[in-house]
Amino acid sequence: MKKLLLSLFVVTALSATSQTKEKGPFFSTNVHLTFALNENYVLFEPDDDESLLDFSAVFIRTGFGYRFNKKVEASINFGLDFHTRFRIQAIPSYLNLQYNLINGDDHKFFINGSYGNLWSPSSNFEKGKYHGFGIGFQGNEDSPLNITVRLDFHRKQIDNFKNGNLDSVSLGIGFSLF
């Protein structure tokens, strides 16, 4: 097991070069937090201990992809989503397509779109379709490890949910290893 992990680390380290490379494989991971409006919050109430926003979900995502050129990237991603407000858990797997609008020497600004499925390995997880799109900013330093900040819209089509769709907007932070 130690030899396998060491080999994997060496291969990753040797293949990881500058983010400014025009094409090649990459690995990414992100953690997204979602907040919802607090139904008990009353505007302009100074004595109220309620906050405007309540934590409602956390999404953990990881993916493997390929940069085709400086503008276009595609990846296959997997995740684990916990919607605490509705007590819903989901395992999305999806294809993500990213277009880099600005690709400078030290940063890039991008848009992305995702489409995939929600898998249900047990009755604790919801089954359905997954769609998403978003914008983001990523560092493009000479290091193979680059920080990513993103704002994403997620839609999960779940049959047993109120109107069939569970929509959320999340703020994510993560890294990319290129």
Side-chain angles (χ1 to χ4, degrees):
M1 183 66 173
K2 288 180 184 179
K3 288 182 181 182
L4 176 64
L5 290 174
L6 180 61
S7 299
L8 183 61
F9 176 75
V10 169
V11 169
T12 303
L14 290 175
S15 67
T17 60
S18 171
Q19 183 68 13
T20 57
K21 253 176 54 171
E22 288 211 28
K23 60 182 171 177
F26 65 88
F27 168 79
S28 66
T29 189
N30 294 288
V31 174
H32 299 259
L33 299 178
T34 300
F35 296 90
L37 291 175
N38 183 350
E39 298 166 351
N40 300 323
Y41 182 78
V42 179
L43 196 59
F44 306 117
E45 286 287 326
D47 296 331
D48 196 3
D49 289 336
E50 298 287 334
S51 63
L52 175 63
L53 298 175
D54 280 338
F55 173 75
S56 68
V58 62
F59 308 149
I60 302 166
R61 305 288 169 86
T62 191
F64 300 94
Y66 191 82
R67 177 187 278 181
F68 296 100
N69 55 45
K70 283 192 170 191
K71 293 285 187 185
V72 179
E73 301 176 14
S75 60
I76 296 173
N77 298 272
F78 303 93
L80 187 56
D81 298 358
F82 298 102
H83 292 271
T84 57
R85 184 176 236 191
F86 300 110
R87 293 189 175 132
I88 290 178
Q89 299 177 46
I91 299 176
S93 65
Y94 56 94
L95 177 64
N96 184 62
L97 185 61
Q98 178 174 308
Y99 183 77
N100 301 320
L101 297 170
I102 298 171
N103 200 351
D105 290 338
D106 59 348
H107 69 281
K108 69 179 169 184
F109 182 74
F110 60 87
I111 58 173
N112 70 307
S114 303
Y115 180 79
N117 290 315
L118 301 176
W119 302 104
S120 180
S122 73
S123 61
N124 294 336
F125 295 92
E126 298 296 330
K127 190 174 184 176
K129 296 287 184 194
Y130 172 78
H131 312 275
F133 64 88
I135 60 173
F137 177 85
Q138 180 177 335
N140 254 0
E141 299 298 326
D142 288 334
S143 167
L145 184 67
N146 294 287
I147 302 296
T148 304
V149 177
R150 53 192 307 136
L151 182 67
D152 290 303
F153 170 80
H154 311 269
R155 172 168 281 176
K156 296 176 180 82
Q157 293 177 326
I158 301 171
D159 292 335
N160 300 335
F161 196 65
K162 297 179 206 176
N163 60 1
N165 293 329
L166 175 54
D167 297 337
S168 55
V169 176
S170 68
L171 179 63
I173 188 164
F175 70 88
S176 177
L177 182 63
F178 189 82

